[in-house]
Amino acid sequence: MTGKFLLPGKFLAVAAWAAYTIFFVRVVAHVALWFKRPWRGAAAGMPPEDVKLKLPVLPVIAPAALEALFLRRLLKANPVLWIGEWVFHMSFVLVLLRHLRYFLTPVPEFIWRMQLPGRIAGYIMPFSLLYIIIVKAVAGKSRYAFGYNYFLLVTLLLISGLGVLMSTVFHPNIVAVKEYMMSALRLKAAASVAAAWSLPGGLPFLAHFTLALVLLVYLPTHIFAAPFTLYEAKKREKTLGRILHD
Amino acid sequence: MPESESFTRCLSAGQLVELDACARCGECLKYCPVQEVTSDKSISPPEKIRLFREFIANTEGLKSKFFGPGKIDRRLLEDFAKAVYECTTCGACGQACTVGIFTQRLWPMLRREMVRRGLGPFGSQRETPAAVEKTGNPYGKPAGERFSSWLPAGLKIAGRAKLGYYAGCTGAYEAQPMVRGDVEVLGKIGEPFTMLDAEEEACCGFPLFITGQFELLEGLVKRLVDAYARRGVETLVCSCPCCVNMMSRDWPPFYGAKLPFRIRHITQYVAAALDGGRLRISGGTGETLIYHDPCYLSRGVGITEEPRSILRRIPGANLLEFDRHGAQSRCCGAGGAARKVFHDNAIAIARLSIDEARRKGAHRLVLSCPACYSKVGEAMAGYGENERHIRIVDIMELLSGVI
């Protein structure tokens, strides 16, 4: 098996480095573009907004964090879709935490504790994605539906589906997978050279990991931009009453 | 201007983050009034954001850094500009936005970028700066006639007073019963109030701001603020939500300092007068009323309770609510300076509210915005003789009849 997957293993290791680089450069480029413009006010030629609309950070950040955690704005807008989205986002976080064991040595205690919840979340995730796809497809005729969203959903569905299959049917050698991740992806010669270049887990792992890299490259920007806009929206909500009521 | 010129000059960093934050979930489409009457997804909020992101990526994105700016199809740019101007800027999409994008502020800035590139504004909007400069109002009507057709003869207007009243262009020229109601109610309250002369009370700047034409704004705002300050005004009252929004949110930055007076919507001042016993309602009505929240009053500056508190005080009045009310209200179709350029959309949108009000059995549709008053009135006039009409009335016009 190891010999058979030596070439894909090399290819995937290089692809992973490329995907990491693209992701990093993409995030940096976006953030750099943000900082090219004045942070507040209506930009070009306009001074900052009225001081009375300023608020300390702490009283806003907690409710904004809750809003992000429970996707409350989506709940208000579309409770039917919200169920699927919230379950998906929560299970995605748990699965990510579970996967940290492949990248960290020693594995922190809390990551060990996340293994069972992460495993359960991994089983739930494909169903939540399927539910979202169905809800969107049913509403799609009357609403805005963009191919990119379906591409992401289908990619995630395939990744999570393969994950479930590996956990229940194929059972790849976890130790070998970790060795591969540690040596090939972290550019760390912790394990043998062979481990860095040979791919464990066969085809399911190859597909699972390749799709994860595709997802990383095409990761939607709202993942890192939305926390800011949710915070700003909460602040606006809290200061709206102050504009004419002082 | 070359197409490779930056698309981000008119945006703040926060607005660039907002563009990146759009998850393209499409939830906003359920609330967009233009979508409701056109069903044209190419002019939907997420599609506009997606296209604008593409323009930015083409000129300032990673690919453009390595391989040079990409070519942007001129036709696509023109279609985008039309989509941005077809919007009523009601902000309902932002209110429903699952990631909280402040679209009521974002769209005017995208319009400004289109103006900078010579792709906007559209139709009569192009004449607004010249009209404001020449006549002081966006309609190009004679400045001397600003108050003449509606200001009651014999109404006492002080030369100097702590209370100032700004009528606004749309009220003065297109919704006179509304501003007449304003001054009659103010007169009844009895507190001395001042107004600028007809030639002096110029446009607040909103039609210029909302169409992305910023050049005259600073001078206009400074002239108005200084004029009210010279008259000793401490509280400036106005009934037009767009003017109130402009005054409270945008006058300070354009003036370059904190305003020397407070801004109040007339319903705030009148509700306080009713609370304090300075104004009493003597008459009543046995009618069923339904109140429409103007977008720039509810979502714009958070005034939703005061108009209702006034209406609830009218003896015999039965107050209904639209399905979407308060901060979730539906646009009347007149917003964003689109009502004259995209007239058919505006009429179709106005009819959605009229039809709901009729369905709910209201006798009167109560408004609190001159643009709504003008457009909803126009839409009402288009109904057939056999269809049940509903009376359109401004809140101060209604109140002035029962005090």
Side-chain angles (χ1 to χ4, degrees):
Chain A
M1 192 70 125
T2 302
K4 194 175 165 187
F5 285 96
L6 195 63
L7 196 65
K10 279 184 187 177
F11 172 76
L12 208 57
V14 174
W17 299 334
Y20 285 170
T21 310
I22 290 169
F23 172 73
F24 179 74
V25 172
R26 195 169 153 237
V27 172
V28 168
H30 275 263
V31 174
L33 187 64
W34 300 347
F35 280 92
K36 264 172 78 176
R37 297 289 164 226
W39 199 248
R40 298 258 172 245
M46 279 189 71
E49 281 167 21
D50 199 342
V51 284
K52 76 180 175 190
L53 300 184
K54 285 190 177 167
L55 266 184
V57 172
L58 275 178
V60 185
I61 208 154
L66 279 177
E67 210 150 286
L69 186 65
F70 291 103
L71 309 178
R72 268 165 49 182
R73 294 185 70 95
L74 179 61
L75 175 62
K76 275 189 224 160
N78 189 342
V80 177
L81 183 64
W82 173 82
I83 298 169
E85 290 280 4
W86 188 75
V87 171
F88 158 66
H89 280 85
M90 289 304 113
S91 52
F92 186 71
V93 171
L94 291 174
V95 168
L96 273 186
L97 288 173
R98 173 173 151 87
H99 277 64
L100 284 181
R101 67 183 164 150
Y102 297 119
F103 302 92
L104 301 171
T105 297
V107 178
E109 181 61 28
F110 85 97
I111 299 293
W112 284 123
R113 289 189 185 169
M114 292 317 295
Q115 293 309 301
L116 183 62
R119 193 183 168 101
I120 295 166
Y123 294 138
I124 294 170
M125 200 161 102
F127 294 102
S128 66
L129 286 160
L130 213 53
Y131 175 83
I132 295 168
I133 291 170
I134 292 167
V135 170
K136 278 185 182 276
V138 168
K141 282 181 192 165
S142 57
R143 291 235 315 277
Y144 179 87
F146 188 58
Y148 172 75
N149 291 42
Y150 285 113
F151 161 74
L152 287 175
L153 286 167
V154 171
T155 308
L156 279 160
L157 184 62
L158 290 172
I159 295 170
S160 57
L162 285 160
V164 171
L165 283 178
M166 282 192 288
S167 171
T168 52
V169 181
F170 297 110
H171 301 292
N173 182 340
I174 297 294
V175 176
V177 167
K178 175 149 187 169
E179 213 173 13
Y180 175 78
M181 290 295 186
M182 293 297 291
S183 52
L185 303 182
R186 295 184 68 200
L187 297 172
K188 197 173 170 185
S192 66
V193 175
W197 294 118
S198 62
L199 187 70
L203 272 177
F205 180 75
L206 175 69
H208 180 78
F209 192 51
T210 305
L211 287 167
L213 294 178
V214 170
L215 182 70
L216 188 66
V217 170
Y218 288 99
L219 204 67
T221 48
H222 77 259
I223 285 180
F224 48 91
F228 170 80
T229 54
L230 285 169
Y231 169 79
E232 285 293 309
K234 182 51 72 182
K235 200 168 79 173
R236 258 194 329 273
E237 211 174 88
K238 282 181 174 280
T239 53
L240 184 64
R242 286 194 201 176
I243 297 172
L244 292 184
H245 298 93
D246 50 14
Chain B
M1 179 185 295
E3 277 164 12
S4 57
E5 166 74 16
S6 166
F7 274 85
T8 61
R9 284 197 196 285
C10 297
L11 301 179
S12 67
Q15 286 167 330
L16 287 171
V17 180
E18 286 182 333
L19 292 176
D20 276 338
C22 177
R24 301 179 202 174
C25 63
E27 290 305 319
C28 50
L29 268 73
K30 289 193 287 191
Y31 301 90
C32 172
V34 181
Q35 285 299 306
E36 215 166 343
V37 298
T38 65
S39 303
D40 182 357
K41 310 260 185 313
S42 71
I43 55 173
S44 66
E47 189 58 11
K48 280 185 282 191
I49 288 178
R50 186 188 74 80
L51 273 177
F52 202 76
R53 268 158 62 161
E54 260 185 36
F55 298 152
I56 294 174
N58 258 292
T59 49
E60 288 171 89
L62 264 183
K63 211 165 78 180
S64 73
K65 296 269 179 267
F66 292 121
F67 307 108
K71 187 158 172 54
I72 300 168
D73 180 22
R74 179 79 188 173
R75 181 68 194 269
L76 188 66
L77 264 175
E78 285 169 0
D79 288 349
F80 173 81
K82 184 175 169 283
V84 168
Y85 277 92
E86 200 164 346
C87 167
T88 64
T89 70
C90 71
C93 49
Q95 190 70 30
C97 178
T98 55
V99 292
I101 300 173
F102 192 12
T103 53
Q104 209 172 44
R105 288 311 264 194
L106 181 64
W107 305 136
M109 293 306 135
L110 299 193
R111 286 177 170 194
R112 194 180 173 202
E113 179 58 35
M114 292 302 107
V115 170
R116 210 171 69 81
R117 309 181 90 87
L119 294 160
F122 283 74
S124 57
Q125 294 166 350
R126 285 194 203 103
E127 293 143 29
T128 306
V132 169
E133 204 159 25
K134 195 174 164 198
T135 62
N137 67 81
Y139 307 113
K141 302 262 178 79
E145 293 173 15
R146 192 176 180 91
F147 303 147
S148 56
S149 66
W150 57 270
L151 198 64
L155 184 80
K156 271 190 190 170
I157 308 226
R160 276 180 69 85
K162 288 181 180 176
L163 182 67
Y165 171 71
Y166 177 87
C169 308
T170 308
Y173 292 108
E174 300 209 333
Q176 289 93 347
M178 176 179 176
V179 276
R180 189 184 300 120
D182 290 350
V183 290
E184 280 176 1
V185 173
L186 288 179
K188 199 79 178 175
I189 292 171
E191 183 179 348
F193 70 96
T194 186
M195 285 173 71
L196 300 183
D197 299 331
E199 287 78 9
E200 208 178 2
E201 197 203 88
C203 169
C204 69
F206 182 82
L208 296 166
F209 179 84
I210 207 69
T211 54
Q213 303 175 96
F214 281 31
E215 288 71 24
L216 299 177
L217 284 174
E218 195 180 323
L220 207 57
V221 168
K222 283 183 174 163
R223 211 164 60 230
L224 281 167
V225 172
D226 291 340
Y228 283 111
R230 275 197 303 276
R231 286 175 189 245
V233 169
E234 290 176 12
T235 302
L236 182 62
V237 168
C238 175
S239 60
C240 171
C242 299
C243 298
V244 166
N245 200 287
M246 183 74 195
M247 290 166 174
S248 54
R249 282 188 181 272
D250 300 302
W251 272 16
F254 281 112
Y255 186 62
K258 191 174 181 289
L259 299 183
F261 45 78
R262 301 184 306 173
I263 305 294
R264 289 290 178 266
H265 186 254
I266 194 153
T267 57
Q268 289 182 281
Y269 181 75
V270 171
L274 285 166
D275 285 344
R278 289 179 292 138
L279 181 67
R280 286 183 201 285
I281 295 174
S282 53
T285 175
E287 291 178 313
T288 298
L289 313 174
I290 191 160
Y291 174 70
H292 173 267
D293 290 274
C295 312
Y296 278 89
L297 195 60
S298 56
R299 282 187 284 276
V301 289
I303 301 289
T304 55
E305 195 40 50
E306 290 87 342
R308 287 173 172 79
S309 101
I310 294 170
L311 293 173
R312 279 192 212 108
R313 284 169 185 265
I314 299 176
N318 173 31
L319 185 60
L320 299 178
E321 291 286 6
F322 280 102
D323 292 341
R324 280 168 52 185
H325 58 270
Q328 276 75 37
S329 68
R330 176 199 275 140
C331 176
C332 73
R339 73 194 156 110
K340 299 211 165 162
V341 184
F342 299 97
H343 171 81
D344 292 347
N345 284 358
I347 293 290
I349 295 168
R351 286 185 170 189
L352 295 172
S353 293
I354 294 172
D355 289 344
E356 188 182 336
R358 286 168 47 175
R359 250 192 339 269
K360 292 197 161 169
H363 298 112
R364 294 200 198 207
L365 170 50
V366 184
L367 302 167
S368 188
C369 164
C372 300
Y373 191 89
S374 162
K375 207 70 210 176
V376 175
E378 207 180 324
M380 194 67 243
Y383 280 83
E385 277 182 18
N386 296 330
E387 292 174 282
R388 194 174 78 81
H389 279 239
I390 182 170
R391 284 189 64 191
I392 308 296
V393 67
D394 170 69
I395 188 167
M396 289 301 134
E397 184 189 2
L398 178 69
L399 188 65
S400 66
V402 293
I403 50 175

